[in-house]
């Protein structure tokens, strides 16, 4: 057998099946398109399901792919063994009603024995126990000895998932030990359990249609679905034991090893961390490359979980600084030949990973400290179960992932009450949903409206009104014949100029009317091809079958279009100023403003905001034509049209061009940039890690903004009794300087009073085992003032524990300090202040020599301070 690299094997496989008249299809995104049953693509056939089910027509009846996949059910096992991983590539060749068993078997054998030159006597075949046809092909056509064909049951060699297409499988196995040996079925299975014989290729013969109740009908058009793990094949061809020793994966691990200063296979404990990091950085690099962003739900949570698990194992290896974004470079380099989009998005991928890693570094320190306190307390109490309440507090307050809590506890022999945690998490989600509904009000979308009518024809790209027929009227989710004045309804028309909310553009408003009846449309949304006009009957009535005139609010629509076109110009401007990593992450355009969310990792400077504004306004001043054109998607891509990450597009797309900005877009736009009038950025802020938001106004919105600025300036000048507004900046600076000086003097006086008071405090100090304990209330002292007092105590060369309480208004602060002599005797400021603050309903903590905490209920301050001596005394040795 000749050694083959993983990338070489991928290309050999795809080229081989191209030679058998298969169409090579690129790997689909890890984000499933049009399949809500999957969170992430987990098999080679998953993106092709629509072809097997007859829901779409494949580009060819013969297809071959190498599909990137993510599977996470065994995530806790990743690293602990060398077998488990979350990311892998699946090679496959597929027939949609074309060839069947003969060709599938013959070509599989040809590829393995002729192209890869694997010795025939190293391969074993398994078939479904009643599949005589498959056995005849293997034995008579291929020439496999009868004793090397093993019949197995339904569990092993029959592919079925509920109802629908299914069928027997034939698997090809590789013998790691010796070629040509003889084994019976029991011995064969035992060798498989030991990994001495491993499955490398599964040929699924989809020939039955199952009703899900054990009844199988032979299908007229039979299909072939095969799957072979690329990494597993590479293990065979490279003579290694597991995926972590395959060339491309091993190169990633070497990069991790360099950061950590450790070598693989020298220490079982560090090996676990090396495997976790290597696997997870492969997964996360591809996930981010496919547009997945870290979040607290769905596939975004899977990404976050993998990144955080990898980051934690980096810390276990002693890596203190962010490093995953650098290792991502190696992942990209090893895979860029097959997946060039990784190289194109290199900066973006590294930035997303880096930002998440830095954010987690802050989270993990706080969470780990608190978890250590919890587990230490359990150990002292001889308990082995962390309460669900404590686990939830870690998750809810500190953002510490529950799976990480479970993993760390498991390492210490502690289990977590996940049942109680889940209960609390559900309560929180229910409360959040109730709050959302209370704020948002009920929605038509919560009703199960099923429209039995042809899809709506949209005429709003060119027309602002249309003669239409009412196809259906709904009230409270139920279809009715007639609605009368005052009724809130949903109306479906056969044709409409009303744009339905989509792609971040809000729905149109307007009027649906006859000569005698008026319905006011308050919003428009879309459901399965039907435009749903959410409306109120203003006068008269409306009935199914009415001939009506549908008219949008033209002025509002034009304002929306100005903001939508400006959003396109804004995205292009951001990419020019900030870099090509910028992509839309969310958008809302209405008649009032344009809100645009995008990937970036720091706040924009004033200069950058000015540059972006200037670019957009220059395009407006140029009076550039805005064109909207439908074209084949491949043609659009050649033009360089920008698409949204993870968005599903059909074969024909609508492309909007405004100067150099070219984007896929189904929204409505103005005909010339000059119609925008003016563009002004109102705010720039952060909405999530790595996501920024710009809010901007156009047209009359800019005029309104300038008027509000003018009014603010005039009112400010009047308040400062200025006759000329041009003096405002100088006057503001003067007032601020005076205020700051007064604050300085006040702070100085407060400090003098506190210093005078502290002398008397030491006169009443109590002493325990040579340690002085002093405490005092310093009302009116801010936290900084308390720190200065604490510093004066820490400078003393004797064993002292001091606790100060400062109350300012409705807020209070506790500050505890311990001199180094006191710390040597067991004192710990962080633990002392934490226990005292809890008595007030507050929380906090810190280092052994100094720590601060908040006071929950200031009325409990004195009673809590009275416990200081007993609490602090408990720490003194």
């Amino acid at each position: 057998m000749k050694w083959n690299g993983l990338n070489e094997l991928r290309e050999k496989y795809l080229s081989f099946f191209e030679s058998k008249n298969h169409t090579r299809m690129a790997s689909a995104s890890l984000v499933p398109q049009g399949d809500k049953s999957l969170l992430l693509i987990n098999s080679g056939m998953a993106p092709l399901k629509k072809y097997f089910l007859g829901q779409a027509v494949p580009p060819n009846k013969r297809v071959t792919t190498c599909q990137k996949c993510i599977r996470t059910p065994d995530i806790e096992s990743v690293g602990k063994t060398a077998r488990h991983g979350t990311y892998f590539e699946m090679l496959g060749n597929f027939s949609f009603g074309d060839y069947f068993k003969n060709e599938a078997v013959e070509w599989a054998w040809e590829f393995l024995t002729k192209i890869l030159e694997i010795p025939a006597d190293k391969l074993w075949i398994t078939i479904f126990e009643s599949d005589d046809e498959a056995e005849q092909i293997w034995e008579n056509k291929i020439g496999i000895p009868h004793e090397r064909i093993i019949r197995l049951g339904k569990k092993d060699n029959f592919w079925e998932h509920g109802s629908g297409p299914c069928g027997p499988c034939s698997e090809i196995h590789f013998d790691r030990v010796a070629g040509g040996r003889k084994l019976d079925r029991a011995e064969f299975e035992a060798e498989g359990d030991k990994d001495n014989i491993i499955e490398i290729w599964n040929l699924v013969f989809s020939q039955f249609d199952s009703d899900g109740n054990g009844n199988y009908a032979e299908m007229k058009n039979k299909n072939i679905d095969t799957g072979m793990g690329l990494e597993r094949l590479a293990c065979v061809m490279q003579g290694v034991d597991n995926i972590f020793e395959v060339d491309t994966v091993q190169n990633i691990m070497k990069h991790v090893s360099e950061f950590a200063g450790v070598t693989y296979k020298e220490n079982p404990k560090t090996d676990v961390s090396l495997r976790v990091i290597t696997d997870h950085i492969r997964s996360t690099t591809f996930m981010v490359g496919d547009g997945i962003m870290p979040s607290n739900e769905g596939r975004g949570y899977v990404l976050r979980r993998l990144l955080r698990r990898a980051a934690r194992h980096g810390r276990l290896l002693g890596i203190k600084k962010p490093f995953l974004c650098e290792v991502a470079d190696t992942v990209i380099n090893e895979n860029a030949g097959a997946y060039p989009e990784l190289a194109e998005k290199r900066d973006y991928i590294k930035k997303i990973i880096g930002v998440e890693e830095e954010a987690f570094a802050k989270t993990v320190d706080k969470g780990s400290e608190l978890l250590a306190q919890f587990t230490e307390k359990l150990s002292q109490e001889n308990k082995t179960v962390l309460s669900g309440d404590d686990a939830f507090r870690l998750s809810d307050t500190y953002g510490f992932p529950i799976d990480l809590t479970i993993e760390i506890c498991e390492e210490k022999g502690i289990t977590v009450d996940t049942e109680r945690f889940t209960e609390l998490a559900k309560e929180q989600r229910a409360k959040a949903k109730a709050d959302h509904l209370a704020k948002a009000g009920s929605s038509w979308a919560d009703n199960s409206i099923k429209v039995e009518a042809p899809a709506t024809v949209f005429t709003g790209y060119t027309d602002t009104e249309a003669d239409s027929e009412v196809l259906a009227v709904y009230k409270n989710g139920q279809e009715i014949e007639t609605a009368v004045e005052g009724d809130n309804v949903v109306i479906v028309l056969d044709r409409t100029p009303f744009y339905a909310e989509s792609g971040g553009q809000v729905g149109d408003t307007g009027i649906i009317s006859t000569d005698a009846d008026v319905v006011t449309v308050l919003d428009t949304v879309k459901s399965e091809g039907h435009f749903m006009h959410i409306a109120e009957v203003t006068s008269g009535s409306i009935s199914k079958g009415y001939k009506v005139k549908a008219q949008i609010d033209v002025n509002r629509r034009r304002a929306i279009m100005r903001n939508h076109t400006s959003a396109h110009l804004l995205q292009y401007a951001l990419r020019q100023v900030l870099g090509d990593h910028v992509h839309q992450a969310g958008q809302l355009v209405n008649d009032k403003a344009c809100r645009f969310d995008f990937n970036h990792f720091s706040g924009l400077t004033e200069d950058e905001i000015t540059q972006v504004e200037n670019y957009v306004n220059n395009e407006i001043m140029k009076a550039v034509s805005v064109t909207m054109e439908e074209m084949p998607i491949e043609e659009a891509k050649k033009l360089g049209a920008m698409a949204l990450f993870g968005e599903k597009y059909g074969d024909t797309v609508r492309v909007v061009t405004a100067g150099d900005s070219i984007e896929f877009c189904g929204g409505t736009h103005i005909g010339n940039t000059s119609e925008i009038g003016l563009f002004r950025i109102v705010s720039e802020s952060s909405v999530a890690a790595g996501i920024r938001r710009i809010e901007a106004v156009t047209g009359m919105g800019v005029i309104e903004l300038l008027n509000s600025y003018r009014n603010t300036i005039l009112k400010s000048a009047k308040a400062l009794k200025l006759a000329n507004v041009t003096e405002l900046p100088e006057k503001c600076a003067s007032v601020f300087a005076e205020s700051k000086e007064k604050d300085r003097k006040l702070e100085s006086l407060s400090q003098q009073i506190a210093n005078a008071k502290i002398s008397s405090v030491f006169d009443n100090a109590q002493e325990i085992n040579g340690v002085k304990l002093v405490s005092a209330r310093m009302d009116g002292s801010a936290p900084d003032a308390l720190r200065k007092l604490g510093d004066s105590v820490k400078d003393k060369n004797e064993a002292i524990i001091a606790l100060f309480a400062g109350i300012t208004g409705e807020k209070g602060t506790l500050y505890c300090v311990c001199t180094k002599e006191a710390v040597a005797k067991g004192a710990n400021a962080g633990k002392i202040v934490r226990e005292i603050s809890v008595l007030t309903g507050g929380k906090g903590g810190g280092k052994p020599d100094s720590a601060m905490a908040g006071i929950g209920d200031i009325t409990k301050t004195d009673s809590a301070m009275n416990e200081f001596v007993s609490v602090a005394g408990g720490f003194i040795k």
Side-chain angles (χ1 to χ4, degrees):
M1 286 167 51
K2 180 184 176 184
W3 188 96
N4 282 257
L6 181 139
N7 289 320
E8 184 183 1
L9 287 170
R10 184 195 299 111
E11 182 55 35
K12 280 187 174 182
Y13 180 90
L14 296 173
S15 295
F16 173 79
F17 279 99
E18 279 186 308
S19 75
K20 305 299 183 183
N21 299 318
H22 288 62
T23 295
R24 181 194 298 213
M25 291 179 64
S27 171
S29 167
L30 286 167
V31 180
Q33 304 296 327
D35 186 352
K36 295 181 180 179
S37 67
L38 290 175
L39 197 62
L40 292 158
I41 292 298
N42 60 5
S43 67
M45 68 82 63
L48 308 177
K49 194 188 300 183
K50 57 192 175 186
Y51 302 137
F52 283 109
L53 297 176
Q55 298 169 345
V57 178
N60 184 356
K61 287 188 175 183
R62 299 180 180 186
V63 162
T64 185
T65 65
C66 181
Q67 176 62 46
K68 49 196 176 185
C69 304
I70 298 280
R71 288 183 190 169
T72 57
D74 298 324
I75 188 172
E76 288 80 10
S77 298
V78 174
K80 296 176 183 177
T81 74
R83 295 178 56 189
H84 291 87
T86 59
Y87 174 81
F88 61 97
E89 294 179 63
M90 186 62 74
L91 299 166
N93 57 284
F94 309 90
S95 167
F96 308 109
D98 186 30
Y99 63 84
F100 199 49
K101 290 184 186 180
N102 276 295
E103 295 87 343
V105 168
E106 289 173 7
W107 292 337
W109 191 255
E110 180 183 350
F111 178 73
L112 293 176
T113 61
K114 297 293 190 290
I115 304 300
L116 299 186
E117 300 178 4
I118 296 176
D121 67 352
K122 296 277 284 181
L123 298 175
W124 288 81
I125 307 300
T126 62
I127 60 172
F128 181 49
E129 55 192 0
S130 63
D131 194 354
D132 295 335
E133 181 184 7
E135 183 181 61
Q136 289 299 313
I137 295 170
W138 282 114
E139 192 170 348
N140 298 331
K141 290 196 173 183
I142 305 301
I144 305 295
H146 182 77
E147 64 272 13
R148 295 183 66 78
I149 302 173
I150 308 292
R151 290 178 181 256
L152 295 176
K154 201 169 185 179
K155 178 184 174 183
D156 296 296
N157 277 69
F158 195 93
W159 187 91
E160 183 176 18
H161 188 72
S163 60
C166 60
C169 308
S170 182
E171 297 176 339
I172 305 174
H173 300 253
F174 178 79
D175 195 333
R176 290 173 178 267
V177 177
R181 58 178 174 154
K182 296 181 179 180
L183 303 170
D184 61 23
R185 173 173 169 171
E187 292 169 333
F188 174 84
E189 290 180 317
E191 287 295 275
D193 292 338
K194 297 175 187 176
D195 267 357
N196 289 334
I197 294 179
I198 61 168
E199 176 220 327
I200 56 174
W201 203 342
N202 186 12
L203 315 179
V204 179
F205 310 129
S206 294
Q207 64 188 91
F208 301 113
D209 187 3
S210 168
D211 65 0
N213 296 311
N215 300 308
Y216 302 93
E218 190 90 17
M219 291 196 302
K220 180 180 178 182
N221 294 318
K222 298 176 177 63
N223 303 314
I224 288 294
D225 163 20
T226 84
M228 176 161 56
L230 176 58
E231 290 85 353
R232 184 170 289 197
L233 178 63
C235 287
V236 169
M237 299 307 298
Q238 295 178 16
V240 297
D241 291 335
N242 59 74
I243 63 171
F244 295 100
E245 296 176 19
V246 168
D247 60 334
T248 58
V249 185
Q250 184 61 208
N251 289 337
I252 297 166
M253 184 181 281
K254 286 177 181 176
H255 195 170
V256 179
S257 297
E258 288 172 10
F259 268 106
V262 298
T263 303
Y264 189 49
K265 289 190 173 181
E266 282 191 353
N267 183 322
K269 191 172 181 180
T270 58
D271 283 355
V272 170
S273 293
L274 287 173
R275 287 193 290 262
V276 168
I277 297 166
T278 301
D279 170 78
H280 289 6
I281 194 60
R282 290 180 81 212
S283 297
T284 53
T285 298
F286 277 94
M287 289 173 76
V288 175
D290 278 346
I292 300 171
M293 290 286 292
S295 70
N296 290 327
E297 58 185 11
R299 59 184 67 93
Y301 179 69
V302 175
L303 171 61
R304 174 163 283 169
R305 185 182 181 192
L306 291 168
L307 275 172
R308 290 185 168 188
R309 195 166 185 260
R312 175 178 176 262
H313 277 275
R315 287 180 169 242
L316 292 178
L317 290 175
I319 305 173
K320 300 299 183 184
K321 63 178 182 178
F323 73 104
L324 293 174
C325 56
E326 299 303 321
V327 180
D329 254 332
T330 302
V331 179
I332 293 168
N333 293 340
E334 294 295 328
N335 293 278
Y339 304 102
E341 65 272 15
L342 291 177
E344 294 167 8
K345 299 172 184 174
R346 184 188 298 270
D347 292 342
Y348 168 78
I349 293 169
K350 291 178 64 179
K351 202 68 177 180
I352 291 290
I353 292 174
V355 167
E356 181 67 14
E357 190 175 7
E358 288 175 6
F360 181 59
K362 299 173 185 175
T363 297
V364 76
D365 288 339
K366 293 178 183 176
S368 295
E369 181 184 344
L370 188 58
L371 180 56
Q373 293 168 18
F374 290 155
T375 55
E376 182 182 338
K377 186 177 180 182
L378 289 173
S379 177
Q380 292 171 355
E381 297 173 353
N382 292 319
K383 295 179 180 178
T384 58
V385 179
L386 180 72
S387 73
D389 294 75
D390 286 341
F392 183 73
R393 182 182 169 197
L394 281 166
S395 172
D396 187 47
T397 306
Y398 296 94
F400 203 73
I402 180 62
D403 52 283
L404 201 51
T405 298
I406 293 170
E407 188 170 324
I408 292 173
C409 285
E410 187 181 273
E411 292 168 1
K412 299 182 178 183
I414 294 171
T415 58
V416 180
D417 184 353
T418 54
E419 189 173 325
R420 172 61 177 162
F421 173 87
T422 302
E423 180 184 325
L424 290 169
K426 284 182 179 178
E427 287 176 7
Q428 185 194 54
R429 283 196 294 271
K431 184 178 181 299
K433 185 175 182 181
D435 289 344
H436 174 73
L437 291 174
K439 292 173 184 175
S442 61
S443 166
W444 74 272
D446 293 328
N447 298 322
S448 300
I449 296 178
K450 297 297 181 184
V451 181
E452 299 296 334
T456 309
V457 176
F458 176 60
T459 63
Y461 286 137
T462 56
D463 301 324
T464 59
E465 60 180 57
D467 292 324
S468 310
E469 179 183 343
V470 177
L471 298 182
V473 180
Y474 296 88
K475 181 179 178 181
N476 297 326
Q478 301 297 318
E479 185 172 4
I480 59 175
E481 282 298 316
T482 301
V484 298
E485 187 173 325
D487 283 348
N488 292 309
V489 295
V490 174
I491 296 174
V492 180
L493 305 175
D494 64 335
R495 55 195 293 110
T496 183
F498 286 79
Y499 182 83
E501 180 181 345
S502 179
Q505 179 177 329
V506 297
D508 278 331
T509 60
I511 299 292
I512 296 174
S513 63
T514 67
D515 290 340
D517 313 292
V518 178
V519 177
T520 302
V521 178
L522 306 173
D523 196 5
T524 311
V525 294
K526 193 189 299 183
S527 176
E528 297 181 354
H530 297 99
F531 284 56
M532 320 291 278
H533 304 81
I534 302 169
E536 180 183 352
V537 182
T538 309
S539 64
S541 62
I542 191 79
S543 296
K544 182 177 180 179
Y546 269 24
K547 303 295 183 182
V548 296
K549 185 174 287 294
Q551 300 169 289
I552 66 171
D553 182 335
V554 176
N555 289 333
R556 180 175 180 273
R557 163 74 87 79
R558 292 197 65 77
I560 294 169
M561 292 195 299
R562 283 194 290 269
N563 286 325
H564 199 161
T565 304
S566 73
H568 283 223
L569 296 175
L570 172 60
Q571 175 164 227
Y572 189 84
L574 287 167
R575 288 170 66 83
Q576 300 310 300
V577 174
L578 305 178
D580 289 343
H581 66 276
V582 170
H583 280 84
Q584 178 182 325
Q587 178 178 270
L588 173 64
V589 286
N590 56 28
D591 56 318
K592 301 297 182 185
C594 153
R595 190 180 78 194
F596 187 80
D597 296 346
F598 58 98
N599 306 110
H600 193 53
F601 314 98
S602 59
L604 272 66
T605 64
E606 287 297 323
D607 181 58
E608 288 170 335
I609 290 174
T610 299
Q611 288 183 57
V612 170
E613 268 188 347
N614 287 344
Y615 177 87
V616 176
N617 281 312
N618 283 336
E619 292 301 295
I620 293 170
M621 299 301 178
K622 289 178 185 176
V624 177
S625 293
V626 179
T627 62
M628 290 142 276
E629 183 181 2
E630 288 193 351
M631 63 179 70
I633 190 168
E634 293 305 320
E635 184 179 333
K637 288 178 178 178
K638 289 176 183 177
L639 290 175
M642 285 195 65
L644 289 179
F645 266 145
E647 186 74 13
K648 173 65 176 175
Y649 297 98
D651 294 334
T652 301
V653 294
R654 191 165 180 270
V655 176
V656 175
T657 304
D660 293 325
S661 168
I662 309 173
E663 293 189 31
F664 292 19
C665 182
T668 62
H669 292 268
I670 54 174
N672 190 287
T673 58
S674 62
E675 296 175 46
I676 297 173
L678 287 170
F679 174 85
R680 177 74 179 179
I681 293 176
V682 178
S683 66
E684 190 274 341
S685 60
S686 170
V687 291
I691 303 292
R692 308 296 300 179
R693 171 174 292 171
I694 280 180
E695 297 197 38
V697 291
T698 62
M700 289 303 298
V702 177
I703 303 300
E704 292 170 7
L705 180 68
L706 294 176
N707 285 339
S708 70
Y709 288 167
R710 182 181 63 182
N711 291 337
T712 300
I713 291 169
L714 291 174
K715 287 179 181 178
S716 300
K718 185 177 181 181
L720 292 171
K721 298 179 180 179
L722 294 176
N724 191 338
V725 295
T726 59
E727 300 172 7
L728 188 60
E730 185 178 332
K731 183 64 175 177
C732 287
S734 173
V735 170
F736 178 75
E738 290 174 12
S739 176
K740 194 171 182 180
E741 177 61 20
K742 288 178 181 177
D743 288 343
R744 188 191 65 76
K745 290 179 178 178
L746 183 61
E747 184 180 342
S748 177
L749 287 171
S750 297
Q751 191 66 49
Q752 291 175 33
I753 294 170
N755 289 338
K757 190 173 181 180
I758 199 170
S759 299
S760 62
V761 168
F762 274 96
D763 293 339
N764 299 314
Q766 297 189 45
E767 189 169 317
I768 298 177
N769 291 341
V771 179
K772 288 183 179 180
L773 282 74
V774 298
S775 63
R777 281 187 60 156
M778 299 292 184
D779 289 356
S781 296
D784 284 345
L786 296 180
R787 285 193 184 91
K788 289 180 180 178
L789 283 175
D791 289 342
S792 68
V793 172
K794 284 197 290 184
D795 288 340
K796 297 182 181 295
N797 294 319
E798 53 184 318
I800 302 172
I801 303 174
L803 177 69
F804 302 112
I807 309 293
T808 54
E810 296 298 316
K811 294 183 178 181
T813 304
L814 292 170
Y815 187 59
C816 182
V817 294
C818 303
T819 61
K820 62 182 180 180
E821 291 81 4
V823 172
K825 291 194 173 190
N828 187 304
K831 293 181 180 179
I832 293 170
V833 81
R834 185 179 298 113
E835 288 195 30
I836 301 295
S837 67
V838 167
L839 298 175
T840 71
K843 57 186 178 181
K847 298 179 293 184
D849 65 337
S850 62
M852 187 168 283
I855 296 174
D857 183 348
I858 59 175
T859 65
K860 296 179 179 179
T861 303
D862 288 337
S863 61
M865 295 285 283
N866 289 337
E867 300 297 321
F868 166 62
V869 173
S870 71
V871 170
F875 290 92
I876 299 172
K877 298 175 184 176

